[in-house]
């Protein structure tokens, strides 16, 4: 199996480090956003790694990257729109590889907020987005932000999440005025300890 290649992307706060998997005969593009930088989140997080491998195995070219101030990425944490701008820069790079392929965004925790905010921007520009996966997402950060309405949306929420209050995610789902699915993972904490295979089994069939 080919490995991901380290890359450097020009970001709004300086260079962003990333890992890119170039899929021969790719069926789509997958951009994956990592959890809270202040709490030690990086692109090597095991949930992010699971999402990357799942997309890779489904035939996608994948890109994961470190937000500003994380690992080898320049700048300092913004913990708001700055990281969304970073994701936008990563997306521009990824789309330049295969401009014709459909795009999927996947985000875990804080990265779920970033992916959702970016999805809203993409659709507001009239551009196409195929799918959005929000895994244990920091939905409280999405207040008053325009959200994507047209892409397929899957929210995956652990029942025993000790970081993101499950009730907050359930309420967010209930208030969405658009088709989507909320998948609840029983006996599972925020970081999917012992549940990564179950996470992959939820995501894989929805990637086609």
């Amino acid at each position: 199996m080919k490995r991901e290649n380290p890359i450097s992307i020009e970001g709004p706060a300086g260079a962003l480090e990333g890992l890119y998997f170039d899929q021969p005969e790719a069926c789509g593009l997958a951009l994956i956003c990592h959890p809270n930088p202040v709490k030690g989140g990086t692109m090597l997080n095991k949930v992010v790694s699971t999402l990357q491998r799942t997309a890779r195995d489904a035939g996608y070219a994948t890109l994961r990257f470190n937000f500003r101030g994380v690992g080898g990425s320049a700048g300092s944490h913004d913990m708001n729109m700055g990281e969304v701008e970073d994701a936008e820069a990563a997306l521009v790079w990824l789309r330049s590889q295969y401009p014709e392929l459909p795009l999927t965004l996947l985000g875990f925790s804080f990265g779920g907020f970033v992916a959702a905010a970016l999805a809203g921007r993409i659709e507001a520009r009239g551009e196409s987005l195929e799918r959005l996966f929000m895994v244990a997402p920091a939905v409280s950060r999405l207040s008053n932000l325009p959200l994507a309405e047209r892409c397929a949306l899957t929210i995956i929420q652990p029942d025993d999440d000790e970081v993101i209050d499950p009730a907050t995610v359930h309420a967010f789902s209930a208030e969405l005025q658009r088709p989507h699915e909320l998948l609840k993972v029983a006996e599972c904490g925020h970081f999917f300890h012992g549940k990564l295979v179950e996470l992959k089994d939820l995501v894989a069939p929805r990637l086609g």
Side-chain angles (χ1 to χ4, degrees):
M1 175 64 72
K2 284 173 53 183
R3 294 179 177 234
E4 294 168 279
N5 292 314
I7 62 164
S8 181
I9 299 163
E10 184 177 343
L16 299 170
E17 69 172 340
L19 288 170
Y20 173 62
F21 183 81
D22 187 10
Q23 181 86 249
E25 309 289 327
C27 67
L29 304 174
L31 180 69
I32 305 136
C33 299
H34 74 68
N36 194 327
V38 174
K39 300 290 179 63
T42 79
M43 66 179 174
L44 299 180
N45 168 272
K46 65 181 182 178
V47 174
V48 171
S49 297
T50 297
L51 294 173
Q52 186 277 326
R53 288 192 297 269
T54 304
R56 174 201 70 191
D57 293 349
Y60 288 66
T62 70
L63 175 62
R64 49 178 159 165
F65 65 98
N66 276 333
F67 292 127
R68 59 185 64 193
V70 178
S73 290
S76 57
H77 304 320
D78 179 66
M79 296 306 299
N80 198 352
M81 288 298 107
E83 282 80 7
V84 181
E85 298 288 345
D86 293 343
E88 185 119 48
L91 172 60
V92 169
W93 187 94
L94 180 59
R95 273 195 156 153
S96 73
Q97 308 307 303
Y98 295 101
E100 75 286 359
L101 289 182
L103 173 67
T104 291
L105 301 180
L106 307 98
F108 169 48
S109 195
F110 174 80
F113 146 70
V114 173
L118 179 58
R121 289 187 179 191
I122 291 169
E123 288 197 355
R125 293 196 295 260
E127 298 173 9
S128 176
L129 176 64
E130 185 110 333
R131 296 181 185 88
L132 169 62
F133 289 88
M134 300 166 65
V135 180
V139 294
S140 62
R141 294 178 176 271
L142 290 169
S143 299
N144 303 318
L145 287 181
L147 300 177
E149 297 287 341
R150 299 185 297 277
C151 64
L153 170 60
T154 299
I155 302 170
I156 302 174
Q157 178 58 45
D159 279 350
D160 299 334
D161 196 323
E162 70 283 11
V163 176
I164 302 291
D165 179 16
T168 303
V169 177
H170 300 165
F172 172 84
S173 170
E175 291 170 5
L176 280 180
Q177 302 294 309
R178 53 149 297 169
H180 68 285
E181 58 181 348
L182 170 64
L183 307 176
K184 300 176 182 179
V185 185
E187 299 179 349
C188 180
H190 185 69
F191 295 100
F192 288 81
H193 296 310
K195 295 285 186 174
L196 291 173
V197 172
E198 188 167 338
L199 175 62
K200 183 170 184 175
D201 289 344
L202 292 173
V203 173
R206 291 165 173 84
L207 287 173

